[in-house]
Amino acid sequence: MIRKALFVFALALPLVVFAQGKTLRYASAFDPQSMDPHALALLYQTRVVTQVYEGLVNRGKDFKLEPSLATSWEMVNPTTWRFKLRQGVKFHDGTPFSADDAVFSIERALDKASQRKNQMLGIVAAKKIDATTIDVMTSQPDAVLPDKLYLVGMMSKAWAEKNNVVKPQDYNAKQETFAVRNANGTGPFTLLRYEADVRTTLKANPAWWGKGTSAGGGNVDEVHYQVIQADATRLAALQSGQIDFVIDPPFQDLARLKADASLKVVSTDDIGTQYFALNQHSAEIGDAKGKNPFKDVRVRRALQLAIDTDLIVKQVLRGEGSVTGSFYSPLVDGYLPEFEPRPKADAAAARALLKEAGYENGFAVQMDCVNVAWRAAVCQAAASMLEKVGVKASLVTSPSSVFFPKLSQGTGFLVEFGWSATPDPWNIFQSLVRSNDGLTAGAFNAGRYSNAKLDALIDGLRIEPNLAKRRAMVQDALRIVQADLPMIPLYRRRHNWVMRPNVEAVQLPNDVLELRWVTIR
């Protein structure tokens, strides 16, 4: 099997002559989709784009918020945060990073086409105070504003104007701009070339401000990020020496990989969760004869009981995950352990709930899933389980470029997806269960669920300055989500990275490989 896959790999990818020095060649099933730092808010883009573009804040090896292009920040009045900018920083084209660039980048990230605007709700403006100081103004007090600027990349205003990319790419409209395949950040790596669905090539930035500090410490000179969708082919490339690192090894091969002395596997718990989103806004679904079953919480409960997640984790994930009934993980503030246990699968109870809701004979629905092997296998298993209670889910798997717009536009009916949270809970509530307003709220509320009481709590979280009161509000919001089940939590993966023994990396719970810390011995 591996020999055959290796032959396919050799035919499918062009011969690459790698540069001398410390070159890291790593692979994933996912393409980053775009180099525009504000166009997307997807993990698969974050893994690559954040190596090139930096934010005012970042996260350290302990995953706590730390200074980046801002060295300090403070709330100067209830609706204004002041950021002192790092001096001496240059963009990859050699021009200095300035307060004008920071103001421009924040305003660009607030544009309607930006997927980062969702996490920045409440920010109304940014203002230059002097050459090294900016103020970020909010419509109301915001106790945790710096956290909302994590992953908001800083761009050169002059470069954006020169290349007609003052506005972010409209990803959902499949817009092509100069910033999709070109980049000019301040980060530890520069973009040499982006070949969609094939390879992204990065080069270490010799002028990076973080060299020799705790922000960096790695020794990689060049990086080749390769998209290899087939699991067997990815592993064949690793075992043949064509790549050094696989960020998403197939679950079924982990036991063998862990036993292989020529490789190293590192693992950590995921801060994110996998879900099924259920369409709750369309008037009709499938063959439900003018009705939408998912608007009834009894039907949502029935699906939760029909899906045997214990079996999915055991057989599809080979035990590399944890079943959960909780909306988010213990790594997110406000977590309530009483919601962690997931109701045991019970087909009889599921059928009883469907009958009570008026769907004794079930109904048909389309299930959407991204076309990556393990995700598709999870969806296939879930579809078989749903069929046993009368819900006929026809599975459609799509490439990322088709699947993710469907997710953000809310055009699916039953959609499997995952969300990598941050330690602050506001963003996950705001993104996944806040009523979608077509602007910033509920940007990834794929089912278009809406609950006015929950919305009020989420809006309150954004402005509550008392952290004890804020945590109480978080937990009230969690109780609503658990009772109303707007989406079905399934499990949390265990992140496994497999690499050559001479590669050292820092593993964060968001599954992003920070190249600035990678060392090759």
Side-chain angles (χ1 to χ4, degrees), residues 54-269:
E54 299 174 291
L56 296 180
V57 300
N58 207 345
R59 294 196 178 276
K61 293 179 181 179
D62 58 2
F63 208 57
K64 292 180 180 178
L65 210 65
E66 67 176 15
S68 184
L69 294 184
T71 56
S72 64
W73 47 87
E74 62 175 334
M75 182 185 280
V76 294
N77 65 53
T79 59
T80 304
W81 281 81
R82 179 158 293 172
F83 291 82
K84 297 296 292 184
L85 304 181
R86 190 176 298 278
Q87 299 183 52
V89 176
K90 291 185 177 181
F91 287 102
H92 297 156
D93 64 1
T95 58
F97 166 68
S98 69
D100 293 320
D101 298 310
V103 169
F104 165 76
S105 298
I106 290 170
E107 291 176 344
R108 187 179 191 272
L110 289 169
D111 185 82
K112 63 181 181 180
S114 167
Q115 288 190 7
R116 288 293 170 199
K117 71 181 184 302
N118 176 63
Q119 73 188 58
M120 300 168 68
L121 184 66
I123 296 176
V124 294
K127 179 183 177 182
K128 176 182 176 180
I129 302 301
D130 58 40
T132 61
T133 311
I134 68 165
D135 281 353
V136 177
M137 282 78 76
T138 60
S139 57
Q140 295 170 293
D142 192 328
V144 292
L145 180 133
D147 192 87
K148 295 174 184 175
L149 294 176
Y150 173 53
L151 302 179
V152 178
M154 296 292 105
M155 294 183 73
S156 162
K157 181 180 180 182
W159 182 84
E161 290 173 343
K162 176 184 175 182
N163 295 293
N164 197 29
V165 288
V166 171
K167 300 288 186 182
Q169 172 204 14
D170 188 338
Y171 176 77
N172 287 338
K174 302 185 186 304
Q175 183 185 26
E176 182 75 21
T177 74
F178 187 80
V180 172
R181 299 178 188 277
N182 300 274
N184 180 36
T186 62
F189 288 85
T190 65
L191 177 68
L192 293 184
R193 185 169 63 256
Y194 169 48
E195 303 164 79
D197 294 314
V198 178
R199 181 184 297 107
T200 302
T201 307
L202 306 174
K203 185 78 173 174
N205 174 13
W208 183 47
W209 63 266
K211 275 188 175 295
T213 74
S214 60
N219 68 354
V220 173
D221 299 319
E222 190 160 310
V223 177
H224 299 259
Y225 175 85
Q226 298 178 191
V227 179
I228 310 175
Q229 192 170 88
D231 289 341
T233 312
R234 245 180 0 269
L235 290 189
L238 178 69
Q239 294 180 308
S240 68
Q242 295 188 60
I243 58 174
D244 308 302
F245 194 115
V246 169
I247 203 165
D248 45 11
F251 294 107
Q252 69 269 19
D253 291 295
L254 277 168
R256 176 174 60 80
L257 294 170
K258 289 176 181 179
D260 188 337
S262 68
L263 298 172
K264 177 172 64 177
V265 178
V266 297
S267 305
T268 194
D269 291 330

Side-chain angles (χ1 to χ4, degrees), residues 276 306-307 312 365 367 376-396 414:
F276 268 121
I307 299 171
I312 287 174
V365 64
M367 177 189 289
V378 167
C379 289
Q380 187 62 63
S384 298
M385 294 166 182
L386 292 174
E387 189 170 8
K388 292 177 181 177
V389 302
V391 178
K392 296 172 282 295
S394 57
L395 177 59
V396 174
L414 180 60

Side-chain angles (χ1 to χ4, degrees), residues 271-429:
I271 196 171
T273 304
Q274 298 294 130
Y275 308 90
F276 268 121
L278 305 101
N279 181 305
Q280 291 158 70
H281 68 100
S282 295
E284 180 179 345
I285 283 181
D287 64 353
K289 298 178 180 178
K291 295 182 179 180
N292 180 342
F294 293 150
K295 291 183 177 182
D296 192 320
V297 68
R298 293 170 296 185
V299 174
R300 303 198 290 272
R301 289 282 170 204
L303 267 64
Q304 182 186 41
L305 291 170
I307 299 171
D308 189 343
T309 314
D310 289 279
L311 190 61
I312 287 174
V313 169
K314 180 180 179 181
Q315 293 192 349
V316 180
L317 274 60
R318 307 300 172 97
E320 296 292 330
S322 56
V323 173
T324 185
S326 174
F327 178 57
Y328 61 59
S329 89
L331 298 175
V332 181
D333 189 58
Y335 169 83
L336 289 172
E338 62 260 37
F339 295 140
E340 183 66 16
R342 190 179 193 277
K344 290 292 182 183
D346 189 333
R351 284 192 292 268
L353 279 171
L354 288 170
K355 181 178 180 180
E356 183 183 322
Y359 300 98
E360 183 176 5
N361 298 319
F363 55 90
V365 64
Q366 178 174 305
M367 177 189 289
D368 280 292
C369 183
V370 71
N371 66 343
V372 171
W374 70 269
R375 298 273 292 271
V378 167
C379 289
Q380 187 62 63
S384 298
M385 294 166 182
L386 292 174
E387 189 170 8
K388 292 177 181 177
V389 302
V391 178
K392 296 172 282 295
S394 57
L395 177 59
V396 174
T397 59
S398 307
S400 300
S401 58
V402 175
F403 174 80
F404 289 115
K406 185 178 291 189
L407 175 70
S408 58
Q409 292 172 8
T411 56
F413 297 103
L414 180 60
V415 183
E416 187 275 342
F417 78 106
W419 183 263
S420 269
T422 63
D424 182 75
W426 175 81
N427 184 248
I428 189 171
F429 281 113

